Amino acid sequence: MGLRINSNISSLIALRNLNATDSRQARSFEKLATGLRIVRPQDDPTGLAISESLRAQTRALQQATENARSAENLMNTADAALSNVNDLLNNVRRSVLASMNDSMSPEAISSEQDFVDEAIETLGRIANTTRFGEIPLLDGRAGFDMETIDDSIRAINAEEVRFNPVTEVTNFSVGVTTSATQASLSLSGGVTGGDAMIEIQGPDGTATVSLMDGATMTDLANAIDSVREFTGIYASGTDIFTEEYGSESMIRIRNISGSGTVGVGIGTLPPGGVTTAIGGDIEATFMGESFTGKGNRLSLDTEGFRGTVELMPDTASGADYTFSIRRSGLLLQMGIEANFESQLTVGISSINPDHLGIAAITIGGKEFEGLLSSLHTGGGNDLATNPENALRILDRAMSQINEIRGSLGSVSQHILQPTQRSNEVAIENLTAAESSLRDLDFAAESAEMARNQILFQAGTSVLSAASTLPQTVLELLK
């Protein structure tokens, strides 16, 4: 080989390799110091892009989990207040039952009424002051705003709603295919062939009435009306009806003694004879699905709406009854996308005494139910005026509270808690995937660092030796 002075090729080769070894050694030091396999984009461009995507998804899931946990805390806060309301209503119910006892003096009833008044005022305070942070929960502002309601719809309790994404108001329609009916029997005459005693069994209980031979159909109707408070059955024209609607409403009349026959049911009712009738439940279509209710009340559960709709008595079949809801309620963001699959909108109805209960209706000339506020002194259903109807109002109010609590519990148990568990598992898997891409294998990198250190030392020695090669030319000049 030739000897050159101006260009030391061996030295350049040794220097290039030494620089490469130094660069690799520096990267090893940097990785070991940070614990990361990918410190700079040039370490693994594709791996960096994937790991950043995984990291963003992980952080989104962490926030979604926190959102679900916060929503569950909100539900628990509302439920704790509703539990106290339940206790109050139970105590009010006890007072109503006590006032219906004839042994109660007017002074004692007045004392019980004072407690009822205080309980209703306390319930109002609970409704107006229960909050989760700055969010009012039980005064109606966490519920859904009804834009329009058909006059034939008596009450709506919306628990979950999926709103139309392009409009502020979402419309719904209930198509009644079969109307709810009362149990009913026809009166065909009075009592003939002797005296009779009949047993009348209805939704509210059983009573017996005695009828003389020759009693007219009017006498029979009056006798049935005389025990209406015990049976829940009344006469109207030539028919008798249950006060309630639906398949759980039944009339059963039995001729239990005497030799007379009674003009009720199909034909006449002989001694020992029994005749019965059962009411019918409402049937309807809603959002393309068919539902059978309980009386006039429909429990609806579809992708777009979950809740109950109660129609007025004797609502005509073969017609649609509409209502619309303005965008409102509590929006719960439980996923990582801004779409309906990741979101849930729930509502908590007002429990204010002016909202608990239901608007009064008249059936068979008698007014039924009303709002809880009407149990206050002078409200029309106080203990001295109408304790029987006060009891119905309380039962309805307690049912509404239980429905709200049941809905909140269902959302927590079947949606929020599984969402948290699912998100936590996803976070674990995504973190593991990101770690495999981004985190450093210290054993492998330590071995690589040792190799680079040895190569660096060797490269330094070789460069030193290569730098001395031109000096051998001096031997030729001696």
Side-chain angles (χ1 to χ4, degrees):
M1 77 180 233
L3 294 177
R4 302 178 182 85
I5 297 175
N6 291 329
S7 299
N8 189 344
I9 304 303
S10 297
S11 176
L12 292 176
I13 293 173
L15 179 61
R16 176 176 58 79
N17 283 284
L18 182 61
N19 285 337
T21 300
D22 183 54
S23 178
R24 290 195 299 273
Q25 183 174 243
R27 286 200 298 273
S28 288
F29 286 143
E30 191 172 29
K31 290 177 181 179
L32 290 168
T34 60
L36 298 175
R37 186 181 73 85
I38 305 174
V39 180
R40 304 173 187 276
Q42 57 265 35
D43 292 336
D44 185 354
T46 302
L48 177 65
I50 295 173
S51 68
E52 286 294 343
S53 175
L54 292 173
R55 178 175 289 186
Q57 192 174 354
T58 300
R59 289 179 177 173
L61 282 170
Q62 288 171 339
Q63 185 58 54
T65 303
E66 184 60 34
N67 289 349
R69 189 173 294 115
S70 178
E72 187 176 7
N73 291 335
L74 182 149
M75 303 290 178
N76 291 338
T77 300
D79 183 70
L82 291 171
S83 177
N84 291 330
V85 170
N86 241 346
D87 292 339
L88 274 174
L89 293 178
N90 275 315
N91 290 333
V92 171
R93 195 176 194 278
R94 180 199 58 78
S95 294
V96 173
L97 288 171
S99 71
M100 296 170 70
N101 191 343
D102 286 342
S103 65
M104 289 283 285
S105 65
E107 292 77 12
I109 293 176
S110 177
S111 178
E112 294 290 350
Q113 182 65 55
D114 290 341
F115 168 76
V116 171
D117 293 348
E118 292 173 1
I120 291 175
E121 291 169 5
T122 299
L123 195 152
R125 285 195 297 272
I126 292 174
N128 293 326
T129 59
T130 301
R131 293 174 175 269
F132 182 75
E134 295 300 317
I135 303 172
L137 297 180
L138 302 178
D139 64 353
R141 284 181 283 179
F144 293 110
D145 297 334
M146 296 295 165
E147 184 75 5
T148 59
I149 301 177
D150 193 288
D151 290 340
S152 294
I153 296 177
R154 189 180 179 199
I156 298 173
N157 177 32
E159 298 171 357
E160 295 178 23
V161 176
R162 181 172 291 176
F163 290 103
N164 187 326
V166 297
T167 62
E168 279 298 308
V169 176
T170 302
N171 300 313
F172 300 92
S173 177
V174 178
V176 177
T177 55
T178 303
S179 300
T181 58
Q182 301 158 284
S184 65
L185 289 171
S186 296
L187 300 178
S188 57
V191 179
T192 59
D195 298 342
M197 177 180 287
I198 60 173
E199 180 185 76
I200 305 168
Q201 182 180 350
D204 294 346
T206 303
T208 59
V209 294
S210 297
L211 299 162
M212 301 293 291
D213 183 21
T216 65
M217 184 167 63
T218 300
D219 295 332
L220 176 58
N222 291 337
I224 292 172
D225 279 338
S226 70
V227 293
R228 178 176 181 175
E229 293 297 328
F230 304 102
T231 63
I233 297 171
Y234 67 95
S236 177
T238 59
D239 297 287
I240 59 174
F241 301 90
T242 54
E243 294 172 342
E244 297 180 3
Y245 287 69
S247 59
E248 293 185 0
S249 300
M250 182 188 74
I251 297 175
R252 183 177 184 271
I253 296 181
R254 186 162 65 101
N255 190 344
I256 59 176
S257 69
S259 59
T261 59
V262 183
V264 62
I266 299 175
T268 58
L269 191 64
V274 178
T275 184
T276 61
I278 298 175
D281 295 316
I282 189 172
E283 296 179 6
T285 58
F286 183 77
M287 300 188 75
E289 299 184 34
S290 297
F291 294 90
T292 298
K294 181 179 178 182
N296 284 298
R297 180 184 174 88
L298 289 163
S299 293
L300 306 172
D301 190 354
T302 67
E303 285 192 1
F305 180 93
R306 183 169 70 85
T308 59
V309 175
E310 183 169 345
L311 285 92
M312 296 292 288
D314 302 318
T315 297
S317 60
D320 293 335
Y321 303 96
T322 61
F323 62 95
S324 59
I325 306 176
R326 181 168 292 278
R327 192 180 299 277
S328 51
L330 298 172
L331 177 63
L332 308 181
Q333 178 70 41
M334 301 177 299
I336 62 175
E337 303 292 341
N339 56 35
F340 65 85
E341 295 292 347
S342 297
Q343 297 173 339
L344 177 69
T345 305
V346 300
I348 305 176
S349 301
S350 171
I351 64 163
N352 193 286
D354 290 331
H355 292 89
L356 276 181
I358 194 168
I361 58 171
T362 301
I363 298 175
K366 181 179 177 181
E367 186 173 271
F368 287 86
E369 298 189 293
L371 299 175
L372 185 64
S373 57
S374 66
L375 271 68
H376 204 281
T377 300
N381 289 298
D382 58 21
L383 305 189
T385 305
N386 197 348
E388 292 83 6
N389 198 42
L391 204 59
R392 295 190 189 95
I393 294 171
L394 277 169
D395 288 343
R396 169 77 72 158
M398 293 172 69
S399 175
Q400 291 170 330
I401 295 297
N402 290 335
E403 284 183 3
I404 296 173
R405 296 186 69 187
S407 174
L408 296 179
S410 177
V411 170
S412 293
Q413 181 178 1
H414 300 302
I415 298 178
L416 297 178
Q417 292 176 4
T419 295
Q420 293 178 54
R421 291 193 293 268
S422 175
N423 287 350
E424 287 167 355
V425 171
I427 289 169
E428 291 175 12
N429 293 331
L430 289 171
T431 302
E434 184 198 354
S435 176
S436 67
L437 288 171
R438 197 161 195 146
D439 290 343
L440 183 68
D441 183 345
F442 270 77
E445 195 60 40
S446 296
E448 180 67 17
M449 183 190 68
R451 174 178 176 275
N452 288 329
Q453 286 179 327
I454 294 171
L455 287 174
F456 185 79
Q457 293 173 4
T460 302
S461 298
V462 169
L463 179 59
S464 176
S467 298
T468 62
L469 284 177
Q471 296 179 13
T472 59
V473 175
L474 296 175
E475 296 296 326
L476 298 176
L477 298 177
K478 288 184 180 178

